[in-house]
């Protein structure tokens, strides 16, 4: 005969059901992007676009009341103040570009997000260099110095910090081998054609190209870069997406990867972010000419190395992408970091070289592209190490340290050639 006084399971299950019901009632559903945008409000939108507002105001000042300020740059403290002002505003605008590109990345998916960001940022480089070449006092070596600085900063500084951060947090990280090799397969020949071959050509004096060479090299570079973009966004798009990890891997990881791309603030529509991305780029483009004038005069007055100008412009251009790549590595999205870093290196050659050569051929502006012997060695070692780094094995902190050593050597050679 069953014991009627014996407690049943219903009593213990009831609190569990009650707790589950309470959890369901108290759970807050995830906000949709549209709901977040509505809650953000007009004031929030204005706060998000303070960089754009500062850029517009600064541009208006420098092209009206600020014109006489650039006429006399003999006062070094005033020159330094104006340079910090312009550089700070342009960096602010550049990070606004990153925010809108991140939103577009979430809307459109990869690799379109990183591609939009890369093309937007490199367009800043192209505009600054074109402004300098078309100015009253063109600098024939600034495009070479800037492109070489971007390659060294990206392939050593950016890749090194990304792998170091990812290695510290996750021990090892996975990426798409096909995507990384596709980048390097295009970067390597284009880098040598643009920056090494002109040093050894005999048809002109100095590290330059004659008209026929410039036309052919510029055309081939543009066609190969266009072919890469076509493959990246159509036939082999999966090469540039984060690979799926198998079970049992990453046991030593500090925390799991974030499944969603990071974005700053609420997400609106693609046209909204596209228009504001272009609008945020415009002050950077407009302010590039006064910044270049201040930079050239300051380097001359202080007796600093000419190559430092290229480094400063490269840091301005790459700071948003560098930040975005570090954030991606910290979320264990190494492929996005690879797309940003190697994509920047490829775009700086694929876009900048054809534009600079076209300007030189059409206007007769002097352009020196060839590197010296030490720079050629450093570029060769960098590309060799990149091929080893992205050879198929998971990345780790040691590989990052190797790239950082090369980056430190590059910085030393700027001041002690």
């Amino acid at each position: 005969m069953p014991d009627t006084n014996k407690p049943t399971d219903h009593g213990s299950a009831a609190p569990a059901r009650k707790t589950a019901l309470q959890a369901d009632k108290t759970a807050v559903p995830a906000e949709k992007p549209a709901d977040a945008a509505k809650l953000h409000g007009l004031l929030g939108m204005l706060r998000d676009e303070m960089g754009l507002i500062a850029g517009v105001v600064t541009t208006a000042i420098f092209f009206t009341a600020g014109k006489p300020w650039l006429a006399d740059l003999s006062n070094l403290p005033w020159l330094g103040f104006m340079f910090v002002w312009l550089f700070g505003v342009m960096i602010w605008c550049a990070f606004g570009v990153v925010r809108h590109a991140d939103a577009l990345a979430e809307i459109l998916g990869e690799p379109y997000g990183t591609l939009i960001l890369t093309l937007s940022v490199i367009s800043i480089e192209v505009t600054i260099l074109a402004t300098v070449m078309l100015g009253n006092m063109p600098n024939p070596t600034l495009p070479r110095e800037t492109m070489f600085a971007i390659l060294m900063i990206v392939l050593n500084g950016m890749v090194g910090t990304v792998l170091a951060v990812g290695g510290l947090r996750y021990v090892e990280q996975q990426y798409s081998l096909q995507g990384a090799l596709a980048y390097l397969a295009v970067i390597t020949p284009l880098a040598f054609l643009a920056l090494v071959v002109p040093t050894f050509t005999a048809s002109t004096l100095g590290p330059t190209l004659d008209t026929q060479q410039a036309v052919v090299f510029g055309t081939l570079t543009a066609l190969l870069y266009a072919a890469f973009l076509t493959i990246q966004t159509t036939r082999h798009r999966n090469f540039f997406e984060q690979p799926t990890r198998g079970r049992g891997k990453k046991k030593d990881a500090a925390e799991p990867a974030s499944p969603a791309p990071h974005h700053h603030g609420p997400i609106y529509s693609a046209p909204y972010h596209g228009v504001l991305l272009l609008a945020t780029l415009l002050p950077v483009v407009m302010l590039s000419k006064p910044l270049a004038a201040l930079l050239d005069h300051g380097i001359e007055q202080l007796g600093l190395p000419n190559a430092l100008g290229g480094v400063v412009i490269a840091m301005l251009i790459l700071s948003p992408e560098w930040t975005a790549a570090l954030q991606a590595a910290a979320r264990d999205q190494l492929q996005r970091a690879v797309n940003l870093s190697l994509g920047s290196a490829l775009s700086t050659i694929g876009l900048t070289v054809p534009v600079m050569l076209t300007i030189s051929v059409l206007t007769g502006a002097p352009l020196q592209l060839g590197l010296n012997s030490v720079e050629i060695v450093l570029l060769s070692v960098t590309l060799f190490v990149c091929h080893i780094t992205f050879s198929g094995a998971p990345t780790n902190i040691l590989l990052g340290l190797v790239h950082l050593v090369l980056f430190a050597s590059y910085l030393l050679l700027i001041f002690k050639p």
Side-chain angles (χ1 to χ4, degrees):
M1 183 173 180
D3 187 2
T4 56
N5 295 325
K6 184 179 180 180
T8 63
D9 294 336
H10 301 292
S12 60
R17 288 197 300 269
K18 185 177 180 181
T19 304
L21 290 173
Q22 289 176 346
D24 291 338
K25 290 179 181 179
T26 57
V28 179
E31 284 187 356
K32 296 180 180 179
D35 297 333
K38 290 179 181 178
L39 293 174
H40 205 53
L42 180 60
L43 290 179
M45 294 169 62
L46 290 176
R47 185 171 59 251
D48 289 340
E49 304 306 329
M50 286 302 296
L52 171 59
I53 296 171
V56 171
V57 172
T58 300
T59 303
I61 291 175
F62 268 85
F63 280 84
T64 53
K67 281 188 175 181
W69 300 347
L70 300 173
D72 183 12
L73 300 177
S74 57
N75 189 340
L76 285 180
W78 176 244
L79 185 150
F81 170 75
M82 287 193 295
F83 176 80
V84 171
W85 178 8
L86 286 180
F87 192 83
V89 169
M90 293 171 76
I91 286 284
W92 198 357
C93 290
F95 278 97
V97 172
V98 171
R99 181 169 53 82
H100 291 296
D102 276 346
L104 289 172
E106 187 157 333
I107 294 172
L108 302 176
E110 291 294 345
Y112 295 108
T114 52
L115 182 59
I116 290 171
L117 175 58
T118 299
L119 294 178
S120 301
V121 171
I122 295 301
S123 66
I124 299 175
E125 174 199 358
V126 174
T127 303
I128 293 176
L129 297 181
T131 301
V132 172
M133 287 192 67
L134 295 173
N136 296 329
M137 299 180 63
N139 186 339
T141 63
L142 184 61
R144 176 192 67 197
E145 293 159 357
T146 302
M147 284 190 288
F148 182 62
I150 288 178
L151 289 177
M152 292 298 102
I153 292 173
V154 167
L155 299 180
N156 289 323
M158 189 186 299
V159 169
T161 53
V162 161
L163 298 185
V165 168
L168 281 173
R169 191 166 188 181
Y170 298 100
V171 183
E172 292 182 350
Q173 289 185 297
Q174 301 287 342
Y175 61 94
S176 171
L177 175 62
Q178 295 97 327
L181 289 181
Y183 279 117
L184 293 174
V186 181
I187 291 172
T188 302
L190 290 187
F192 274 88
L193 285 176
L195 299 175
V196 176
V197 170
T199 303
F200 300 98
T201 54
S203 55
T204 59
L205 295 176
T208 59
L209 300 173
D210 64 17
T211 301
Q212 185 177 1
Q213 292 170 338
V215 171
V216 173
F217 284 175
T219 303
L220 291 177
T221 299
L223 289 176
L224 184 55
Y225 183 62
F228 176 86
L229 293 182
T230 303
I231 291 173
Q232 183 184 22
T233 55
T234 55
R235 176 171 296 188
H236 295 297
R237 178 179 173 180
N238 61 308
F239 285 2
F240 307 93
E241 298 174 351
Q242 181 68 39
T244 304
R245 293 188 308 223
R247 293 183 179 179
K249 293 184 179 180
K250 302 289 179 87
K251 292 181 180 179
D252 297 328
E255 60 184 59
S258 172
H262 178 71
H263 60 84
H264 305 276
I267 298 178
Y268 301 90
S269 64
Y272 173 89
H273 290 288
V275 170
L276 282 182
L277 186 148
L278 295 176
T280 310
L281 273 176
L282 188 59
V284 181
V285 172
M286 298 293 292
L287 294 174
S288 60
K289 186 174 182 179
L291 180 74
L294 295 173
L295 184 60
D296 286 343
H297 192 81
I299 288 176
E300 182 180 353
Q301 290 295 314
L302 296 175
L304 298 174
N306 291 330
L308 189 61
V311 175
V312 173
I313 293 177
M315 293 301 295
L316 167 64
I317 294 165
L318 294 173
S319 56
E321 287 186 297
W322 201 335
T323 302
L326 287 174
Q327 290 173 346
R331 298 190 306 272
D332 202 13
Q333 296 174 343
L334 184 62
Q335 187 58 45
R336 176 166 168 78
V338 169
N339 291 346
L340 285 167
S341 54
L342 298 186
S344 298
L346 176 57
S347 296
T348 193
I349 303 174
L351 289 177
T352 306
V353 169
V355 173
M356 296 302 104
L357 289 176
T358 300
I359 293 175
S360 178
V361 170
L362 295 180
T363 65
L367 178 62
Q368 297 182 12
L369 289 177
L371 300 173
N372 61 39
S373 56
V374 175
E375 292 169 337
I376 291 174
V377 171
L378 192 56
L379 176 63
S380 302
V381 173
T382 296
L383 291 172
F384 176 71
V385 171
C386 282
H387 280 274
I388 295 176
T389 299
F390 299 105
S391 60
T395 60
N396 55 66
I397 190 173
L398 177 61
L399 297 174
L401 295 178
V402 172
H403 285 274
L404 291 178
V405 166
L406 290 175
F407 183 57
S409 302
Y410 161 71
L411 294 178
L412 173 65
L413 291 173
I414 292 176
F415 296 95
K416 294 290 183 179

